[in-house]
Amino acid sequence: MTLARNPVIRGFAPDPSLVRVGDWYYVATSSFEWFPTIPLHRSRDLVHWEYAGHVRGAVPGDSLAGVPDSGGIWAPSLSWDGERFWVVYSVVRSVGTPYFDTDTYVSTATEIDGTWSAPRRIASHGFDPALFHEDGRLWLLNLQNDHRPGGRRFAGIVLRELDRRTLAPVGDTHLLLQHERLVEGPKVVRRDGWYYLVLAEGGTGFEHGVLVARSRALTGPYELDDRPLLTSRDDPALPLQKAGHAELVRTPDGDWVLSHLVARPLATPDGPRCPLGRETAVQALVWDAEGWPRMRHGGVHPAVEVDVPTRRQELEPREPADPLGWPWSTLRGYPDPSWADATTRPGWIRLTGRHGPESWWAHSLLARRITEHRAEAEVTVEADPGTFTQAAGLVLRYNTEAYLSLDLTWAEPEGEGQRGQQWRGGTGRRVLALVEREEFGTRQAAVVDVDTAGPLTLGVTVEDGEARFWYVRGGVRTPVGPPLDFTRLSDDYGSKLRFTGAMAGIHAMDLVDAAFTADFTGFRLTCW
């Protein structure tokens, strides 16, 4: 046995799809509007995980430009047919509408960190697809979406056979199950002559859970278990909330484990919020006398500490080969290779400003996942903004309607109002502007003069749900503005659907010329 402490993959790693190949376990997670697309992790013991690459090229054209917040790649499902890996996933282009405008794709690879095939579009009944391999046949499971007025947007789970070579549909579509509660995320495993249909239930928030149904035939009919396999919705005091979206996997020794998502809430006056997003957890399973899966520790709640049926095998730390690669992420496209051109300024990253932080199109941004509720980030930036349309700095970001940034920018001379005269940069001031964006608008929380030229170190400390920004002057941290509410950078703030997690990073913008550059070095993100 090996002791796992959940979540095992921490910070913005939702919708885990677990597969075992030999002695390795692999997990694929949702990436939404962020690149790299479909991050992949691997482990030998379900406890120690490392980044193992991603499904490069998952989005045709390598661009999600114009895709809204929390759109993009939802719930990839990873599988192995004995010869190669398969991944099936949906690209969701509309969020908060009845249609979703979903394209479902399949890609394959012989090695998890190898070259993935160009994505091929298949039947797109709805999001959360999965593949089931049996006796040389390939089956597609999917949520069925009914967009019509009065229709059920989660109208049941369907099954369709695909031709393994062409991926064209074969035969009829089978309705496996409908339920009065929302069900999605279907996965199928076979055990002792039964087909078990594992379902995410109740939405992906605090009402989330896992249901199991079974049938003697793959095409049904399916009988639902009379109790959930996993949920945390009945106990708001549990440290792991939102438990759901699960997958069952058998170990080499015949034991069973479960991967699922969870979230770690912070208490706020407005209720619990989870700025770290939804994360990946594992549990140990047993089977009861009637042949239903159960949590080995009993009950239906997720355990923080779990003895998983594996032998401890720690992984050697690996240095990132690409200065712009993981753990960096970018929005809606891959980073521009010129950002880390060693011939420009070795050891520095140079961002050329593009759109502002609320664009769905062209960002100059690099960010990393925040993995704990206590964190600190800092970076040294050198830039010479000449107008208020140019800025560069340190950002805590959730999406276009939730971010906090401390930016080196330009402002009018002291005492002069904002008159929109961006061409008068030579007569203005070099300042640090602290900006807070939330659902109902943007406010400038503080402006501090920093007239000295040359590099400037910026930082932020996150603790107790607050973000405190600072910069270094004379070797001393100098606070900028008041503490800001970090918990608004979460799934649980605001009125719109949100599915990602808080990130810390660097960005630059130039709204007029797209030519302003900013150099960054020494980025550090510490979470504890």
Side-chain angles (χ1 to χ4, degrees):
M1 294 292 181
T2 308
L3 183 64
R5 184 170 181 83
N6 284 315
V8 292
I9 304 176
R10 303 169 86 84
F12 181 23
D15 310 318
S17 177
L18 178 68
V19 64
R20 180 182 62 83
V21 179
D23 293 332
W24 283 100
Y25 297 90
Y26 300 95
V27 158
T29 54
S30 295
S31 49
F32 297 96
E33 69 265 39
W34 289 93
F35 280 59
T37 48
I38 312 181
L40 302 165
H41 286 76
R42 69 177 186 174
S43 172
R44 287 191 183 274
D45 62 7
L46 294 169
V47 176
H48 303 94
W49 292 85
E50 67 181 3
Y51 177 70
H54 71 283
V55 182
R56 189 172 187 94
V59 177
D62 283 342
S63 174
L64 287 171
V67 166
D69 295 333
S70 291
I73 295 180
W74 287 20
S77 180
L78 190 64
S79 57
W80 170 256
D81 68 357
E83 296 180 353
R84 54 182 170 163
F85 293 96
W86 295 68
V87 65
V88 60
Y89 55 94
S90 294
V91 177
V92 177
R93 299 189 181 275
S94 299
V95 178
T97 78
Y99 295 92
F100 293 106
D101 296 314
T102 297
D103 297 310
T104 299
Y105 294 99
V106 167
S107 181
T108 65
T110 56
E111 301 291 338
I112 199 75
D113 57 354
T115 300
W116 289 82
S117 64
R120 289 190 284 173
R121 191 185 187 280
I122 60 171
S124 301
H125 296 280
F127 53 83
D128 286 8
L131 296 175
F132 179 66
H133 309 268
E134 185 178 50
D135 299 331
R137 299 172 75 178
L138 179 66
W139 299 84
L140 171 69
L141 294 120
N142 223 159
L143 160 75
Q144 177 180 236
N145 178 46
D146 187 345
H147 66 272
R148 297 170 298 177
R152 298 179 64 184
R153 295 176 66 187
F154 298 80
I157 304 301
V158 295
L159 176 77
R160 197 171 192 183
E161 187 174 5
L162 301 179
D163 182 280
R164 286 181 60 85
R165 184 179 61 83
T166 67
L167 301 183
V170 177
D172 296 331
T173 298
H174 305 271
L175 178 63
L176 301 188
L177 182 139
Q178 290 181 318
H179 190 50
E180 64 272 10
R181 287 179 63 87
L182 181 159
V183 289
E184 54 189 327
K187 304 287 194 302
V188 165
V189 296
R190 190 174 184 184
R191 177 184 180 271
D192 292 347
W194 288 99
Y195 293 92
Y196 289 88
L197 178 62
V198 183
L199 300 166
E201 180 216 13
T204 195
F206 289 97
E207 293 298 308
H208 211 15
V210 179
L211 292 178
V212 178
R214 68 181 182 183
S215 173
R216 289 293 187 184
L218 177 61
T219 55
Y222 280 83
E223 167 201 8
L224 268 172
D225 191 2
D226 59 6
R227 56 176 277 191
L229 172 60
L230 176 73
T231 188
S232 47
R233 61 176 168 252
D234 59 341
D235 188 349
L238 291 172
L240 300 180
Q241 291 290 321
K242 303 185 180 181
H245 200 104
E247 188 151 10
L248 277 64
V249 169
R250 194 171 188 175
T251 73
D253 295 328
D255 296 302
W256 288 82
V257 293
L258 182 82
S259 66
H260 64 97
L261 69 80
V262 293
R264 290 176 285 160
L266 283 175
T268 81
D270 299 305
R273 291 177 181 167
C274 306
L276 306 181
R278 295 165 301 148
E279 307 170 283
T280 294
V282 296
Q283 306 291 335
L285 293 181
V286 293
W287 298 82
D288 69 12
E290 285 73 44
W292 291 103
R294 304 292 181 218
M295 295 293 104
R296 194 178 64 198
H297 59 265
V300 298
H301 294 156
V304 175
E305 292 190 341
V306 179
D307 280 325
V308 292
T310 60
R311 290 176 295 172
R312 181 181 180 90
Q313 296 194 47
E314 294 192 35
L315 300 168
E316 293 291 330
R318 297 195 299 177
E319 290 295 323
D322 181 357
L324 300 179
W326 191 269
W328 288 119
S329 291
T330 53
L331 279 168
R332 297 178 173 85
Y334 287 106
D336 187 327
S338 69
W339 292 353
D341 185 353
T343 63
T344 303
R345 194 173 185 183
W348 292 69
I349 291 173
R350 174 167 291 176
L351 300 184
T352 300
R354 295 187 289 181
H355 290 184
E358 296 174 27
S359 170
W360 289 351
W361 299 89
H363 293 265
S364 292
L365 175 142
L366 288 166
R368 299 183 182 185
R369 285 158 172 77
I370 299 174
T371 59
E372 304 295 340
H373 292 303
R374 296 176 64 198
E376 188 167 271
E378 71 173 346
V379 71
T380 297
V381 58
E382 186 169 13
D384 187 21
T387 84
F388 66 85
T389 60
Q390 299 172 346
L394 180 66
V395 62
L396 299 182
R397 183 183 178 93
Y398 184 91
N399 64 14
T400 60
E401 292 186 348
Y403 60 84
L404 310 171
S405 65
L406 180 62
D407 292 329
L408 185 63
T409 186
W410 176 97
E412 288 83 358
E414 189 72 40
E416 184 176 312
Q418 295 180 191
R419 297 188 179 181
Q421 294 165 279
Q422 68 265 28
W423 58 88
R424 293 186 57 197
T427 63
R429 299 173 291 152
R430 191 170 182 256
V431 299
L432 284 175
L434 180 61
V435 173
E436 178 182 34
R437 174 66 159 102
E438 48 95 19
E439 184 178 26
F440 302 105
T442 306
R443 75 180 184 98
Q444 194 162 260
V447 176
V448 176
D449 281 18
V450 283
D451 290 330
T452 55
L456 187 65
T457 297
L458 312 179
V460 62
T461 302
V462 175
E463 192 169 8
D464 299 327
E466 293 183 331
R468 299 173 184 268
F469 284 84
W470 42 269
Y471 73 104
V472 176
R473 169 180 282 172
V476 177
R477 292 184 179 184
T478 302
V480 179
L484 302 179
D485 189 349
F486 175 70
T487 70
R488 289 180 176 178
L489 310 187
S490 78
D491 296 357
D492 315 299
Y493 172 76
S495 60
K496 299 179 181 178
L497 294 174
R498 292 179 166 193
F499 299 132
T500 57
M503 314 276 276
I506 57 177
H507 68 164
M509 72 175 187
D510 184 351
L511 304 180
V512 175
D513 298 315
F516 163 74
T517 62
D519 290 358
F520 298 86
T521 193
F523 182 86
R524 173 182 64 86
L525 174 61
T526 305
C527 304
W528 67 95

